[in-house]
Amino acid sequence: MNELHASLLDTPVLAVALTLAAYLGGMHLFERLGRPSWCPAVLIGAVLTAASLWLLRFDYADYQRNVAWLTFLLGPATVALAVPLYQQRQHIFALWKPILCCLPLAAMLAAFYAVLIAWLLGAPPVVYASLAPKSVTAPLAMGIQEQIGGSLSLMLGGLLMTGVLTTICVSLLARVLKVTDPRILGFALGVNGHAIGIIRAFELGPTAGAFASLGMSLTGVFSAAFLPLAWRLVGL
Amino acid sequence: MKLLRGFLWLLVFQLLGHVAVELLALPVSHSMAGLLLLLAWLLVKRHLDESVATASQALIPLLAMLIMPGVVGVFFVADEFAGHWTAIVLALVLGTFLSVLTTLWLMRRFMPSEAEEGNRQA
């Protein structure tokens, strides 16, 4: 019985099946809960996965090693993000001036505020390196994390939380600042809240959705170039 | 076959990205370099190959599932960051609030308010 248990844990099949089941289960629960914006489907899926790992006495490092057969697809899927970016080139060309004025500054500040606050509160470098890519879409943020260090898990957890907080902050601040332009709201959601912000933006309408995708892609590409460079310059 | 051909193209660009990063010692990940190379290629060619479009449409919806195993890890590092959770939560909450505020303010300042929809904002 013990041997069976060990051999099952040692194949990629169980790890991959578990991941797919947890993800589909997460999606299902997410729909059942009425698509709550404060609790993305990935988070439910991650909780389900963690619970099954614990029940099966499956070591996280072993799980990670075996599930790499599946997560290998993250590489080509990241390259694939060039396609939607290419399809949005008209938006970029038409509004290059405001985008050039806002995007680099907004993307830099998104990282800077979090790093500064964590640093002021005495967090060690591994913590603020994990928080720096918090507004970058996950596949690109993982590339940044390879470069600047930090904890992958903390980084991804922070990413999810940032997405959720962004939808809350944008709804709140749009009311306070009386911003109703869907282009601005969409852009703010994408720049700060990556894929989770985009979901909210599409609820506001297709224009907001398109600008959110644009904001997310540009922030991702800009930060992937900027953050490792900044880290190298500051010498962290 | 279209899907496979497109998938192969994506892998080829990822490999090209790998080569570029290693040869030029660039501070970006291999797949990120692949993304930029594919984007440059599309912009130069001004044509999106149907097979590449098919493969990317198949893969992009899977991104959330593909990052999930990494997210799971956050439940296993709670002890590792004990004592820093206040800093982490404050940095995320306050940092996100400030950066959303800045983005909205910047965009309202620079976005041309005429054109397109009549959603003019002061």
Side-chain angles (χ1 to χ4, degrees), chain B:
Chain B
M1 281 311 114
K2 229 183 271 166
L3 177 67
L4 274 189
R5 202 175 315 134
F7 187 61
L8 179 59
W9 272 117
L10 295 175
L11 291 179
V12 167
F13 273 96
Q14 195 186 349
L15 287 171
L16 288 174
H18 188 135
V19 172
V21 165
E22 295 302 322
L23 284 183
L24 305 171
L26 298 173
V28 294
S29 74
H30 298 156
S31 44
M32 181 64 215
L35 185 164
L36 293 175
L37 287 172
L38 176 57
L39 183 63
W41 171 254
L42 290 172
L43 287 172
V44 169
K45 257 188 47 176
R46 292 174 161 279
H47 168 73
L48 178 58
D49 189 58
E50 211 185 325
S51 61
V52 174
T54 310
S56 78
Q57 272 162 17
L59 279 174
I60 290 174
L62 298 182
L63 277 168
M65 187 268 290
L66 294 175
I67 62 153
M68 202 186 69
V71 177
V72 174
V74 83
F75 300 109
F76 297 90
V77 295
D79 297 336
E80 200 183 317
F81 296 106
H84 297 302
W85 287 108
T86 326
I88 292 167
V89 171
L90 269 178
L92 288 173
V93 174
L94 214 57
T96 304
F97 180 83
L98 288 173
S99 73
V100 168
L101 185 66
T102 323
T103 315
L104 285 175
W105 182 79
L106 277 173
M107 283 307 277
R108 199 167 64 163
R109 172 99 175 58
F110 289 108
M111 195 71 143
S113 40
E114 81 291 5
E116 298 175 10
E117 295 92 8
N119 281 304
R120 225 195 74 86
Q121 196 56 50

Side-chain angles (χ1 to χ4, degrees), chain A residues 99-115:
Chain A
I99 288 173
L100 197 68
C101 292
C102 303
L103 187 104
L105 196 58
M108 272 194 267
L109 286 173
F112 176 76
Y113 288 135
V115 171

Side-chain angles (χ1 to χ4, degrees), chain A residues 32-111:
Chain A
R32 288 291 294 269
L33 291 169
R35 314 177 66 89
S37 57
W38 49 270
C39 186
V42 196
L43 187 59
I44 307 176
V47 173
L48 293 177
T49 312
S52 346
L53 292 186
W54 181 74
L55 281 174
L56 290 168
R57 287 177 284 126
F58 202 153
D59 188 56
Y60 180 64
D62 289 336
Y63 165 72
Q64 229 179 355
R65 184 168 48 81
N66 282 319
V67 84
W69 290 85
L70 184 68
T71 48
F72 142 82
L73 285 174
L74 203 53
T78 305
V79 178
L81 289 172
V83 173
L85 204 53
Y86 170 74
Q87 287 165 335
Q88 284 166 35
R89 65 197 181 283
Q90 263 91 17
H91 279 311
I92 307 181
F93 293 150
L95 290 166
W96 66 272
K97 228 190 262 169
I99 288 173
L100 197 68
C101 292
C102 303
L103 187 104
L105 196 58
M108 272 194 267
L109 286 173

Side-chain angles (χ1 to χ4, degrees), chain A residues 190-208:
Chain A
V191 166
N192 295 292
H194 50 93
I196 299 174
I198 292 184
I199 297 171
R200 172 74 189 124
F202 273 106
E203 288 172 8
L204 297 175
T207 313

